[in-house]
Amino acid sequence: MDKTMNITLNRLPARTWNRLKMNEAVVQNVKVPVAKGIQEKEEKNAGNYFSDGLKVHPANEEEKRFFANIETALGKDLDKLGEAFPIEVVECADEETGKEENKEKIIEKNEEKDGENNHLLVLPLTPDGQFGRYFLHVKKDSQMNVAVYCTSKETEVDSLFLQLKVYAEANARIDITVVQTVDKNVSVFSDIGGILEKNAAVNLVKMELGGKKVYSGVYMDLKGDFSSFEARIGYLGEEKQHLDMNYVARHHGRKTQSLMESSGVLDEDAFKLFRGTIDFVKGCSESVGNEKEDVLLFGENVVNQTIPLILCAEEDVEGNHGASIGELDEKTLFYLMSRGFTAEKAKKMIAKARLEAVAAQIKEDSVREKTRKYLEERL
């Protein structure tokens, strides 16, 4: 008999929405994933998807403790769900990072492609009942580019679990892309957390394009002075899809910067809750945080909930947040229909253009093209 858990995810850093019950997500009877076939999976993937500029190894005890202490957006319950699965540590293999002459070829599904960066990791993650747990350790003065594309077929699995935890040392930079286009019968649990030291930078592109129920989020702790975090988020909700997202930028260091921009489209009976928090901790003077969401509503029965939240314990900071929510402009629709488009085709063209603008920010060519192809076929 399958073991299940009731879990609480995506908690706001401060409980401010008690009456509307938007502070967190409670998920009942989540099937606990079973760690099976791990050895076969490791042997199959060994050496196939990593550039020569990276090394990957199982976490030792010290790395496991460090991993456990990195906070994420979905929270500790997801750690419990994945505790039976191994943690893979990804690091730069050499100290001479970022030099043009160090560019190497990467291998993806036995096809050679030129990488933009010799420290490139492509994880073609497909739901197979497993739980992907990766510790991305970006050492001092190094850079890394990580791309994850999650897809599935209808009969493969009930749930997808992915957890990325980042530790960016001083002057390190990491570009992260996570795109999921799983079947609409699959539940998605996609979680990221990170700690940034002095002058470190994390740039993220995250797109939620599939799934039945999606629980997704990012928690970045801007611990060091001058550290920065930028996130571009895209999402598409149709039919009865349920999207629950939680993004937190916590400013600890002085003169830190965060930017979280999300752009989404909701149609039919879709539900979406987006929590965006900028948290200014005492001592983070001269820090700047910006958060903005832009939502386009097509369906009459969609449910759209947005929580733009700023927490402030420091005076000398600048925080800006807001949300733009609207329907397709009648004049725009009339213009497109006068040019031969049906109302349905006009809606899909506008939705695709909005999401392709987010996809254009993806650095890894193969993942960007897969995403564009998916949007072309779906919209």
Side-chain angles (χ1 to χ4, degrees), residues 117-333:
N117 183 316
N118 67 312
H119 300 114
L120 175 65
L121 166 65
V122 179
L123 302 171
L125 186 67
T126 301
D128 58 0
Q130 301 298 298
F131 193 124
R133 305 174 81 200
Y134 298 93
F135 181 17
L136 310 178
H137 186 184
V138 197
K139 294 187 177 180
K140 182 179 179 181
D141 299 320
S142 65
Q143 58 183 344
M144 189 185 294
N145 182 10
V146 173
V148 184
Y149 188 92
C150 310
T151 188
S152 74
K153 295 179 181 178
E154 183 176 355
T155 58
E156 281 186 320
V157 73
D158 294 329
S159 300
L160 163 69
F161 300 90
L162 173 66
Q163 190 175 56
L164 304 178
K165 294 193 180 185
V166 182
Y167 180 51
E169 296 186 11
N171 302 314
R173 174 191 175 95
I174 180 168
D175 295 286
I176 304 173
T177 298
V178 179
V179 179
Q180 67 85 5
T181 61
V182 302
D183 185 80
K184 291 181 182 179
N185 290 319
V186 177
S187 295
V188 177
F189 300 84
S190 177
D191 197 19
I192 299 176
I195 298 175
L196 285 66
E197 299 291 358
K198 184 176 181 179
N199 203 39
V202 172
N203 296 320
L204 170 72
V205 179
K206 202 166 193 301
M207 302 192 73
E208 312 294 348
L209 303 177
K212 177 182 179 181
K213 291 188 177 182
V214 178
Y215 302 94
S216 173
V218 178
Y219 184 107
M220 285 292 161
D221 186 348
L222 304 173
K223 179 181 176 182
D225 296 346
F226 307 103
S227 57
S228 66
F229 167 56
E230 293 188 3
R232 268 80 181 186
I233 305 130
Y235 58 85
L236 174 62
E238 296 179 311
E239 298 177 3
K240 294 186 178 181
Q241 285 179 277
H242 180 108
L243 296 97
D244 189 295
M245 295 171 279
N246 184 32
Y247 283 75
V248 180
R250 193 167 199 200
H251 294 256
H252 269 111
R254 294 175 60 255
K255 297 185 179 181
T256 53
Q257 295 188 25
S258 67
L259 172 65
M260 297 181 286
E261 292 184 345
S262 61
S263 182
V265 178
L266 300 176
D267 201 357
E268 300 177 60
D269 298 317
F271 170 92
K272 183 234 74 183
L273 169 55
F274 184 91
R275 306 171 186 86
T277 302
I278 302 169
D279 187 2
F280 293 112
V281 178
K282 188 172 179 60
C284 69
S285 60
E286 299 183 68
S287 293
V288 179
N290 291 283
E291 185 267 323
K292 182 182 178 182
E293 186 186 19
D294 189 5
V295 192
L296 187 58
L297 308 179
F298 285 146
E300 295 182 359
N301 298 317
V302 300
V303 176
N304 177 70
Q305 297 177 339
T306 299
I307 305 176
L309 177 64
I310 292 181
L311 304 174
C312 191
E314 176 62 50
E315 293 185 3
D316 186 15
V317 294
E318 179 183 341
N320 303 287
H321 64 184
S324 175
I325 303 167
E327 299 178 349
L328 182 60
D329 180 76
E330 290 293 334
K331 290 183 179 180
T332 302
L333 182 59

Side-chain angles (χ1 to χ4, degrees), residues 23-162:
N23 287 307
E24 66 230 347
V26 178
V27 190
Q28 304 285 338
N29 299 319
V30 177
K31 187 185 298 183
V32 177
V34 179
K36 59 183 179 180
I38 292 174
Q39 185 63 37
E40 291 84 348
K41 180 183 176 183
E42 288 178 347
E43 291 176 357
K44 180 181 178 181
N45 288 346
N48 289 335
Y49 303 109
F50 304 102
S51 72
D52 291 339
L54 289 173
K55 60 181 180 180
V56 182
H57 65 268
N60 58 37
E61 291 305 314
E62 182 180 355
E63 289 166 333
K64 289 178 182 178
R65 287 192 294 270
F66 201 109
F67 183 91
N69 289 328
I70 296 178
E71 190 168 352
T72 64
L74 269 66
K76 290 296 183 182
D77 280 359
L78 199 72
D79 284 323
K80 292 179 183 178
L81 277 175
E83 61 187 7
F85 291 83
I87 301 165
E88 296 183 73
V89 181
V90 182
E91 295 178 326
C92 296
D94 60 73
E95 297 179 357
E96 297 289 330
T97 63
K99 291 187 177 181
E100 285 294 315
E101 60 266 30
N102 283 344
K103 286 189 177 180
E104 301 287 348
K105 297 257 184 167
I106 65 166
I107 305 297
E108 182 186 7
K109 293 188 177 179
N110 300 319
E111 295 181 4
E112 290 190 351
K113 292 181 70 65
D114 291 323
E116 294 181 359
N117 183 316
N118 67 312
H119 300 114
L120 175 65
L121 166 65
V122 179
L123 302 171
L125 186 67
T126 301
D128 58 0
Q130 301 298 298
F131 193 124
R133 305 174 81 200
Y134 298 93
F135 181 17
L136 310 178
H137 186 184
V138 197
K139 294 187 177 180
K140 182 179 179 181
D141 299 320
S142 65
Q143 58 183 344
M144 189 185 294
N145 182 10
V146 173
V148 184
Y149 188 92
C150 310
T151 188
S152 74
K153 295 179 181 178
E154 183 176 355
T155 58
E156 281 186 320
V157 73
D158 294 329
S159 300
L160 163 69
F161 300 90
L162 173 66

